[in-house]
Amino acid sequence: MVWFSRMNTSTSAFLEPLSAAFAHALDHLCPKTKKSVAATATLDELRSRLCFALPEEGTTATQVITDLVAGVEGGIHDSAGSKFFGWVIGGSLPAALSADWLTSAWDQNAALYACGPAAAVVEEAVGQWLKELLPVGPEASFALVTGTQMAHVTCLAAARHRLLIARGTDPEIDGLQSAPAIRILTSSEMHGSIVRAVRLLGMGEKNLVRLAVKDDGTLIPQALEAAMVEDPSAPTIVILHAGDLNIGAFDDFQELIPMARRHGAWVHVDGAFGLWAGASPRFRHLLDGVDAADSWTTDGHKWLNVPYDSGYAFIRDREAHRSSVSHRAAYLTYDVDARDQIDWTPEWSRRGRGFATYAALRQLGKAGVAQLIERTCTCAHALVTGIGTLPGAEVVWKPTINQGLVRFLHASSEAQESDHDSFTEIVMAKILASGQAFFTGTTWRGRRAMRISVCNWQTSLSGVAEVVDGVANILREARR
Ligand SMILES: *Cc1c(COP(=O)(O)O)cnc(C)c1O
């Protein structure tokens, strides 16, 4: 009886705020009227509504949700929607979002099997499924982390371990003080998260070498060979790209990985989004040879359309992986049946982040993942060519996968490059202000360009056609 009445209390405590959140979530995801894709509130507006001294007295849960929704009004991008093409950002599949809600409701601490048995087993299943889909070695160990940033840290910690153990020093026990410097060779197109991983791991940014790329954005093999030959005994990590951030370039794995391995380097692959091309028969060839690498990273929260935060690390050398991140003594082998996540991730307490990925993969199935990848690539191509062939626009990079670049040209016949740069900025600002779509800019090979990235499961060709029409009108006006 006592038990029963407690259940009633908690039911009533949760029912109203959760129902309010549910209604607001549906309003956001399926608005009844058209809303701006870009946030419209100013910084001052948001601060004036949201930042104030914490009141002495609390508020009812439902009121908190109602106030929160009112407070953020105009400050939420529709990055979950079909017309958001900024940075590299995916939405959330319905199953993944629902499972993410349950993850919070269940509130498991997914550090150990003991703390969350089902969470641990679901992660095990997810690791297996990801290895079936992605071109990483089937024997690889894996970790579910916050994103590619921490996946880099996880993989490079394993690399550091293996390279230094081979030189007679154990970085986990001895530290780096007396260890030889590890050299990190990568391309000029690398993502900043690599720099940060190198810094966090004490490997030193000055040891990171940015090698030249070809016109197609891929690392020049001779540049890698020359760098390796220059200092043949240095412990070396080579970081290659499966989809660089600007144009989605894929390094030539078939040539570069054997070359790096010949020199004893550890090869790591940044595949934050591009590794997913391996799940599609149409694009798989871009990744030929990538499975010969030592470690790979990718995200769930970008192209797979899982809510933040969801990244995956895969490491061929399980022992190096475990020795570098497990909190247990590295020289002991624990023989337990269950998989304790704490042995593989750099976190202690953590969210049961396997549930959302599990749900996304179950909703899509293998064929659905391939279709998602292919559909978004088709849409990216249509969007880049659609906008890029408008009068006054230019294709800067036609997508190989789902990333492309366009720019806008100043109408004057005497226009210089700098005029095109500033006109590109103007048109981009007008598109954002129109609320019709969301794009972000970049400077690529010295020119300003608008990036086009299609990652959302809801983006369709008819939506793309609407966006192209909208941009055509804005461009026509701007060139008058
Ligand atoms: C997004 C991205 C990263 C960083 O990933 P996070 O999930 O944001 O940590 C690294 N590399 C590339 C190529 C990316 O696109």
Side-chain angles (χ1 to χ4, degrees), residues 50-388:
L50 296 164
C51 304
F52 44 83
L54 181 64
E56 194 57 39
E57 300 300 326
T59 310
T60 65
T62 308
Q63 191 62 46
V64 171
I65 297 306
T66 309
D67 288 354
L68 179 63
V69 170
V72 303
E73 174 69 30
I76 305 281
H77 290 315
D78 189 20
S79 48
S82 65
K83 291 181 177 168
F84 194 93
F85 309 112
W87 301 287
V88 182
I89 289 196
S92 294
L93 286 158
L97 173 59
S98 307
D100 197 63
W101 285 1
L102 284 174
T103 304
S104 294
W106 291 329
D107 199 22
Q108 302 289 286
N109 183 345
L112 294 165
Y113 175 78
C115 287
V121 173
V122 160
E123 285 196 36
E124 223 175 284
V126 162
Q128 215 39 57
W129 287 350
L130 289 172
K131 287 196 283 173
E132 285 173 31
L133 280 169
L134 300 173
V136 302
E139 74 278 32
S141 55
F142 63 91
L144 273 59
V145 292
T146 50
T148 289
Q149 172 70 79
M150 285 313 290
H152 283 330
V153 170
T154 308
C155 291
L156 298 187
R160 185 183 67 174
H161 176 89
R162 183 51 67 221
L163 291 169
L164 293 184
I165 288 283
R167 284 159 181 83
T169 172
D170 180 339
E172 282 72 45
I173 303 299
D174 305 326
L176 298 178
Q177 284 78 355
S178 56
I182 296 174
R183 178 174 62 159
I184 301 100
L185 305 176
T186 187
S187 89
S188 55
E189 307 305 291
M190 55 144 213
H191 189 273
S193 55
I194 288 173
V195 181
R196 219 149 57 136
V198 164
R199 285 163 52 166
L200 287 171
L201 291 165
M203 298 197 287
E205 197 178 335
K206 75 166 191 207
N207 297 309
L208 181 67
V209 183
R210 297 158 166 87
L211 299 170
V213 295
K214 300 187 215 171
D215 282 346
D216 65 2
T218 64
L219 187 61
I220 298 175
Q222 293 79 357
L224 180 63
E225 180 75 37
M228 306 250 15
V229 167
E230 199 176 290
D231 192 354
S233 63
T236 304
I237 299 171
V238 171
I239 303 182
L240 302 179
H241 287 86
D244 84 295
L245 77 155
N246 280 315
I247 60 171
F250 290 78
D251 284 326
D252 183 343
F253 304 113
Q254 277 176 309
E255 178 163 10
L256 296 170
I257 295 179
M259 179 190 287
R261 292 190 137 241
R262 245 188 338 267
H263 292 280
W266 175 290
V267 182
H268 173 65
V269 177
D270 181 349
F273 55 91
L275 204 61
W276 286 100
S280 144
R282 201 168 113 204
F283 295 104
R284 194 169 288 155
H285 65 276
L286 296 167
L287 289 142
D288 282 350
V290 81
D291 54 352
D294 295 288
S295 57
W296 306 260
T297 57
T298 193
D299 275 324
H301 54 217
K302 288 178 178 174
W303 220 351
L304 185 62
N305 283 259
V306 168
Y308 293 98
D309 32 24
S310 181
Y312 318 118
F314 304 93
I315 299 173
R316 179 191 304 284
D317 184 337
R318 303 173 71 86
E319 209 38 55
H321 181 183
R322 192 173 167 135
S323 299
S324 52
V325 297
S326 171
H327 74 293
R328 303 180 191 187
Y331 50 85
L332 295 178
T333 309
Y334 287 85
D335 192 350
V336 288
D337 283 342
R339 180 181 184 274
D340 284 328
Q341 298 96 317
I342 201 167
D343 287 333
W344 309 101
T345 72
E347 300 136 338
W348 205 280
S349 299
R350 59 196 276 284
R351 177 175 183 71
R353 63 170 63 92
F355 293 121
T357 299
Y358 188 90
L361 294 176
R362 279 279 284 123
Q363 185 181 343
L364 295 172
K366 283 184 180 163
V369 173
Q371 282 156 16
L372 168 67
I373 299 309
E374 290 168 13
R375 188 171 64 245
T376 41
C377 289
T378 301
C379 287
H381 192 271
L383 199 47
V384 170
T385 50
I387 294 177

